[in-house]
Amino acid sequence: MTERRRPQASGQQFECQDWQLTTTTIATGGRMVALQGDLSITLPLQSIEILSHGRAPRVIAVQVSMDARDWATKFIARTDRLTVDLHNASTRYVRLISDCRDDTAEARSFEAPQSFFQALGIERVSLVSGRGVLAIPAPEWSEALPQGQGWTGGDGIYSFDLAALDDRSRVAFVFGDSFIGCVDPTTRQLHHDVMINNCMAVLDGHAPEAAKFRFFYPRQPNQTPVSLFTPDEQLGLRKDAYFWMQDGVLIGAQLHFLPLIVVPNPQGREGFEFAFEGTVHLTVGFNDGQVNLDSVTQALAPMRYRAGNGRETIFASAYLRRANYPQEDEMLYAYGVQSWETHRPVAARVIAKDFARFDRWTYWDGRDWVADPKAAVPIAPAVSSEFSVSYCDAGFYAGQYVLIWQQWGPGGKLAMYTADQPEGPFESHTELYYPHEAENSGTIYVYNAKAHLPISAAGELLVSYNVNTTSWAEHETNADIYHPRFVRLIQLQ
């Protein structure tokens, strides 16, 4: 389905443009001939209507799926007009299952979807959009990030609107582990590559234009790239320690971060040979839209600890500044993670100007904001180690807070929670989008989805997720793997 044809609201009828013949096993037994459609986007489906040629179409079931692996099945009765209620199920793939077994002469006569329609008495299949969130891939943002020479890929992407500094339209980005090198345009192999632990970029404007990105990372005298932010010797850390950047917040003329202190851990599994040892308060300023390294300050911060419930807790994976909304005070909300069987989010808050006064932070204990950081308790059942919390001011989520995260696993789905307050509880879990990249290799995985308000269009959320592989050889042979992907989220109401 093309962008032009996509539904603009709930209750709109549309048709799938991409049908393919397939077979499937159903609960009643046997391999049945089916027709599978790919909508190319993921959206809530209210219903499917199957119109016949004047007789009951030979369709015995309808299936819908987000990932073409897990299917929800609706068995149906035969009438002249079939309407299957799907209750706004998030859907990308649709299957129409016939009453024809795949080992019959009739099945062998099917040469194309049209012959399937004719044999089964189907005139038209009409889909009806439901109320919920539409997810559309946004490759223009992935393609705008450099893919040739210099920065060729990275993860940990965060974005910050710099307009408050000088009224110019600029957006800053922070990346985690990044490859610096060059990519063969034909083979997509990565050459002369060096991995650094973090860097920044500034985009002139808010549109996805590759020529308007400028990346910042220093080089040694021999021109070898190095990380933009490295631990200050005065912090007294191990010499092999480095920073894993987390989310940041612009306060005045400076970005404030609480990056994790990371040290090598050879005992970790492949691709995860590291351990955390604490956090640092890091600030960085700008000069005419450029990162000013002379302005960088560092100090140890007490934001990694064991909570009263025995769980390791780390701040801050995400921030929400309510000063963006004139009716609110300048309260900054910070979100961290606790290590349970999976990550669970916790919340803190502080007046923005007191960010560095960690004794003035308060923490949500499930009932109130308290001074003891060890009292922080989870505000949602699960979350990725990186996520986002955004205030929604339009649509049917208006007045609510939206937490975007990514389920763990090779093909972890993008998902969201909503809450009436910034401290939650974040409930109403909704799956939004299934990334297919992990299906290309057993070593590829996707992770850490988050929203980017500075580059989101009005009424939408632009969300990124990371793609990576545990195989270093795979990085070298396919530079396209380690590159953020983007998805636009739009409310249908």
Side-chain angles (χ1 to χ4, degrees):
M1 183 170 60
T2 65
E3 175 79 3
R4 181 175 57 83
R5 292 194 183 106
R6 72 167 176 82
Q8 305 292 320
S10 63
Q12 292 187 346
Q13 291 191 344
F14 63 98
E15 296 183 15
C16 178
Q17 306 297 316
D18 183 14
W19 292 102
Q20 307 242 340
L21 286 167
T22 185
T23 58
T24 186
T25 302
I26 61 173
T28 55
R31 297 282 298 175
M32 313 304 289
V33 179
L35 205 60
Q36 182 170 311
D38 182 357
L39 306 181
S40 77
I41 60 176
T42 304
L43 80 165
L45 273 190
Q46 176 180 309
S47 62
I48 294 178
E49 296 182 354
I50 304 172
L51 279 69
S52 70
H53 286 290
R55 57 187 173 90
R58 294 166 51 193
V59 176
I60 59 174
V62 168
Q63 291 182 327
V64 293
S65 174
M66 181 183 289
D67 56 14
R69 296 187 305 177
D70 299 322
W71 295 87
T73 303
K74 295 280 188 179
F75 288 96
I76 53 182
R78 294 182 184 176
T79 61
D80 289 341
R81 183 185 180 100
L82 301 180
T83 299
V84 182
D85 192 352
L86 297 171
H87 305 288
N88 299 329
S90 291
T91 302
R92 174 170 173 174
Y93 301 94
V94 176
R95 270 187 192 157
L96 307 179
I97 302 174
S98 74
D99 64 354
C100 178
R101 293 179 59 95
D102 69 341
D103 57 358
T104 63
E106 182 182 29
R108 291 190 291 272
S109 71
F110 296 149
E111 298 178 354
Q114 194 57 40
S115 62
F116 178 99
F117 278 131
Q118 292 173 350
L120 272 64
I122 299 173
E123 179 182 346
R124 189 172 78 251
V125 177
S126 179
L127 293 82
V128 181
S129 58
R131 186 176 186 268
V133 177
L134 168 68
I136 305 175
E140 66 276 10
W141 276 102
S142 297
E143 294 165 3
L145 292 170
Q147 296 177 302
Q149 189 166 0
W151 185 94
T152 65
D155 66 359
I157 178 173
Y158 299 95
S159 58
F160 311 93
D161 196 334
L162 300 182
L165 297 182
D166 54 14
D167 293 326
R168 293 228 8 217
S169 178
R170 292 192 182 104
V171 179
F173 295 84
V174 171
F175 297 88
D177 289 344
S178 297
F179 279 120
I180 312 298
C182 58
V183 178
D184 186 300
T186 303
T187 66
R188 306 308 296 166
Q189 288 185 321
L190 182 60
H191 299 289
H192 311 296
D193 57 294
V194 173
M195 175 169 274
I196 62 177
N197 300 125
N198 56 76
C199 68
M200 290 187 68
V202 173
L203 170 64
D204 187 8
H206 288 71
E209 299 181 54
K212 294 187 177 182
F213 273 97
R214 179 172 180 181
F215 277 76
F216 296 89
Y217 47 84
R219 291 182 181 268
Q220 296 176 336
N222 64 2
Q223 294 303 299
T224 300
V226 293
S227 301
L228 182 61
F229 305 117
T230 56
D232 191 314
E233 292 182 1
Q234 295 182 355
L235 296 179
L237 305 178
R238 285 174 43 173
K239 291 191 179 300
D240 57 358
Y242 59 94
F243 289 148
W244 183 337
M245 300 302 293
Q246 299 197 94
D247 196 8
V249 60
L250 186 67
I251 302 174
Q254 291 183 314
L255 275 173
H256 292 250
F257 299 95
L258 292 172
L260 293 166
I261 301 167
V262 185
V263 296
N265 176 26
Q267 280 69 51
R269 69 184 188 277
E270 184 180 7
F272 298 88
E273 298 96 343
F274 55 81
F276 302 131
E277 288 207 340
T279 60
V280 166
H281 176 209
L282 184 150
T283 68
V284 58
F286 296 85
N287 183 10
D288 193 24
Q290 308 211 19
V291 177
N292 182 3
L293 288 179
D294 293 334
S295 70
V296 175
T297 66
Q298 299 182 23
L300 293 176
M303 305 308 288
R304 174 184 176 267
Y305 57 88
R306 190 163 296 279
N309 55 22
R311 303 294 177 172
E312 181 179 79
T313 304
I314 300 174
F315 283 93
S317 296
Y319 295 99
L320 169 73
R321 187 173 184 182
R322 294 179 72 178
N324 291 336
Y325 314 104
Q327 71 274 23
E328 303 290 354
D329 57 17
E330 293 193 1
M331 185 65 73
L332 173 68
Y333 289 79
Y335 299 89
V337 293
Q338 282 189 347
S339 297
W340 292 68
E341 68 283 353
T342 183
H343 292 309
R344 297 187 186 182
V346 289
R349 71 180 187 181
V350 65
I351 298 294
K353 62 182 174 57
D354 291 334
F355 184 95
R357 298 286 303 274
F358 296 108
D359 59 327
R360 296 190 177 182
W361 286 49
T362 58
Y363 304 82
W364 184 249
D365 70 355
R367 293 175 298 179
D368 202 355
W369 295 99
V370 298
D372 183 6
K374 294 183 178 180
V377 298
I379 58 175
V383 79
S384 40
S385 58
E386 296 174 8
F387 57 96
S388 65
V389 180
S390 309
Y391 178 78
C392 191
D393 57 6
F396 51 83
Y397 289 122
Q400 292 186 287
Y401 298 85
V402 174
L403 190 157
I404 300 294
W405 65 292
Q406 190 155 10
Q407 299 168 348
W408 181 245
K413 296 185 180 84
L414 278 63
M416 64 178 263
Y417 296 109
T418 58
D420 294 328
Q421 301 295 332
E423 65 271 18
F426 284 91
E427 298 171 326
S428 303
H429 174 262
T430 303
E431 294 180 343
L432 303 171
Y433 181 82
Y434 172 75
H436 282 266
E437 288 82 3
E439 295 178 359
N440 298 328
S441 166
T443 62
I444 293 177
Y445 58 100
V446 294
Y447 57 107
N448 287 347
K450 63 183 75 72
H452 297 269
L453 284 178
I455 50 176
S456 295
E460 301 181 5
L461 272 183
L462 184 69
V463 172
S464 71
Y465 63 93
N466 299 321
V467 182
N468 207 334
T469 172
T470 57
S471 168
W472 193 267
E474 209 163 24
H475 277 307
E476 300 278 359
T477 56
N478 185 359
D480 294 333
I481 294 175
Y482 196 49
H483 219 77
R485 272 60 164 187
F486 292 84
V487 178
R488 292 161 52 205
L489 303 181
I490 305 167
Q491 296 181 62
L492 296 184
Q493 47 180 337

